[in-house]
Amino acid sequence: MTATPTTAAKAPPGAARTPGRRPSLPVLLLAVAAALALFSAVRLVTGADDITSVGQVRSALELAIPIGLAGLGGLWAERSGVINIGLEGMLILGTWFGAWAGYQWGPWTGVAMGILGGAIGGLVHAVVTVSFGVNHIVSGVAVNILAAGSTQYLSKLTFEEAPGGGSATQSPRVGEIERFTVPGLSDAMKALNEKHWFFVSDLAGFVGGVVTDISVLTVVALLLVPASYWILWRTPFGLRLRSCGENPTAAESLGVNVYKYKYVAVVVSGALAGLGGVFLAEVASSYYREGQTGGRGYIGLAAMIFGNWRPGGLALGAGLFGYTDSLNLRSGGTSVHALLLLLAVLLVLAAAWQLYRRKFVSAVTALVVAAGLAFWYASTDEVPTYFVTMAPYVTTLLVLALSAQRLRPPRAVGDPYRRGTGK
């Protein structure tokens, strides 16, 4: 019987599931509650009430969105088998095009143009890697360099003479996307959070952070996470796309147009990164500024890897990096100092788990590091400024190091593919 694309959607070889049983929803909710209780306990011990305040959570959410959108773009590309190191450049294109169109024709036109700018970067990467077979890393680095250089030139050409205060490195002011607050619920959560009760106030802080002064674009970005999961894991289109990243030869034998799916995935990847750039230009600030992305494309890739190429894990990783960055911007050394105790407790728990699994070297290493952090916390009142600034990047390195052993990327990611050659 001849295979058809529908058959491929049902059972393409190579589209293997990640081994291991995934935790159920009650188990996940219990884990979240335990983590929040630990946060609350550390807050009470250290007196650092701001680590779960409404303002802290709202700031962390806004800082996490560009990282999460970049990581989501990387997820789409790598699930199709294409490594997208060029996410940083696509973020840059999104910021520039979003600001360029936004200050002239309004913020929503800026959103559309920023998405288009990122998609153009994705299209360039797709042409070079999919059609011409260039190494994915080399192509991605070239996209980053091209985006940075071209936007610098375009800024001098357009913003320097623009009315409204533009310069060679900064656009005129862009109108912000509409914001909203959920009436009643926001005030109630703030009131509960300010009482500083165990667990209840911390939970109120997290809920209040996502219902207070939130941009419409933030809601759109959050909805893109479950939407991506549904498309990639619950539709025939998603199954075909993922089969291209697992075993493109087998997918081809079942009638899947591998080139088409790779192109679609990489262009969508660029569009998502472009939307992250628009967020930086129109929500996190009100203008484009040279160097605005600050390596968030690379951190988005780290969040994607931490999430094991799954949308839920990616969102958790982006939230972690955004939260660490928000501590740096809002609270400085005091809150980061409190987190030293939290890290020490987490490492003790990790050591206990490693002992249970009879991995004694890992357990001893975790205990030694935990002891060092506990000593640092007990012997100081505040961490140095330079460490606070480094905290988001140190977190990136630690997360990647700790999660490396459980990762399972798509099997054919980064591999060259040529139709009809069997490889």
Side-chain angles (χ1 to χ4, degrees):
M1 183 176 176
T2 304
T4 65
T6 303
T7 308
K10 292 180 180 177
R17 294 178 179 269
T18 304
R21 185 179 178 183
R22 299 193 183 280
S24 62
L25 181 60
V27 172
L28 288 174
L29 292 176
L30 185 62
V32 170
L36 188 58
L38 182 59
F39 253 93
S40 186
V42 168
R43 177 183 61 79
L44 290 174
V45 170
T46 61
D49 293 325
D50 196 47
I51 64 174
T52 56
S53 68
V54 171
Q56 186 75 66
V57 173
R58 185 172 64 84
S59 175
L61 181 62
E62 290 199 352
L63 290 167
I65 292 296
I67 296 171
L69 286 171
L72 204 59
L75 173 72
W76 273 78
E78 298 207 5
R79 279 294 176 179
S80 73
V82 179
I83 299 172
N84 193 355
I85 295 292
L87 289 168
E88 179 72 11
M90 296 166 201
L91 270 175
I92 292 172
L93 291 172
T95 59
W96 193 90
F97 278 98
W100 171 73
Y103 88 87
Q104 297 181 88
W105 302 300
W108 287 107
T109 305
V111 170
M113 290 301 297
I115 292 172
L116 179 61
I120 291 172
L123 180 61
V124 171
H125 187 52
V127 170
V128 173
T129 56
V130 179
S131 294
F132 293 100
V134 174
N135 181 277
H136 299 187
I137 305 298
V138 173
S139 173
V141 172
V143 168
N144 291 338
I145 296 171
L146 181 64
S150 62
T151 52
Q152 286 178 1
Y153 171 74
L154 290 171
S155 294
K156 291 179 181 179
L157 196 65
T158 58
F159 295 151
E160 198 166 25
E161 302 297 330
S167 70
T169 59
Q170 182 174 310
S171 73
R173 186 175 181 83
V174 182
E176 289 191 14
I177 300 291
E178 295 85 354
R179 293 175 175 268
F180 69 93
T181 295
V182 179
L185 182 60
S186 174
D187 293 336
M189 293 300 103
K190 283 182 180 178
L192 275 175
N193 182 247
E194 290 170 358
K195 294 184 180 298
H196 306 308
W197 292 337
F198 175 75
F199 191 83
V200 174
S201 293
D202 303 281
L203 179 61
F206 278 92
V207 174
V210 298
V211 297
T212 303
D213 195 26
I214 296 298
S215 167
V216 173
L217 207 58
T218 300
V219 178
V220 172
L222 291 175
L223 291 175
L224 283 171
V225 175
S228 293
Y229 172 78
W230 182 79
I231 292 171
L232 292 176
W233 273 269
R234 290 291 182 266
T235 66
F237 168 83
L239 188 54
R240 293 186 188 111
L241 187 147
R242 288 186 293 117
S243 72
C244 295
E246 296 289 345
N247 192 332
T249 304
E252 176 194 331
S253 70
L254 294 172
V256 175
N257 187 333
V258 176
Y259 283 141
K260 181 182 77 172
Y261 279 89
K262 286 179 179 287
Y263 261 89
V264 169
V266 180
V267 171
V268 170
S269 172
L272 288 167
L275 181 60
V278 174
F279 192 94
L280 287 171
E282 295 191 3
V283 178
S285 64
S286 300
Y287 49 82
Y288 160 83
R289 185 182 69 252
E290 190 175 306
Q292 190 170 21
T293 57
R296 286 177 175 84
Y298 301 111
I299 299 178
L301 275 178
M304 178 200 68
I305 295 169
F306 167 78
N308 207 7
W309 289 265
R310 305 280 296 193
L314 181 158
L316 181 62
L320 173 63
F321 300 134
Y323 181 78
T324 309
D325 204 8
S326 71
L327 290 178
N328 170 29
L329 295 177
R330 277 181 54 87
S331 307
T334 305
S335 292
V336 176
H337 179 256
L339 289 188
L340 293 177
L341 180 60
L342 176 65
L343 287 174
V345 174
L346 288 174
L347 284 171
V348 169
L349 295 175
W353 174 246
Q354 294 298 332
L355 284 173
Y356 173 76
R357 299 175 64 192
R358 298 185 179 277
K359 293 187 176 182
F360 300 109
V361 174
S362 299
V364 171
T365 303
L367 285 173
V368 169
V369 176
L373 290 172
F375 176 77
W376 189 2
Y377 170 78
S379 59
T380 59
D381 293 326
E382 190 171 317
V383 297
T385 304
Y386 65 84
F387 183 81
V388 176
T389 305
M390 290 168 52
Y393 307 101
V394 172
T395 302
T396 303
L397 293 174
L398 286 175
V399 164
L400 290 179
L402 292 173
S403 63
Q405 294 182 351
R406 65 174 180 82
L407 300 179
R408 213 288 286 171
R411 287 190 177 91
V413 66
D415 293 346
Y417 166 76
R418 281 292 172 266
R419 181 182 294 157
T421 62
K423 61 180 181 179

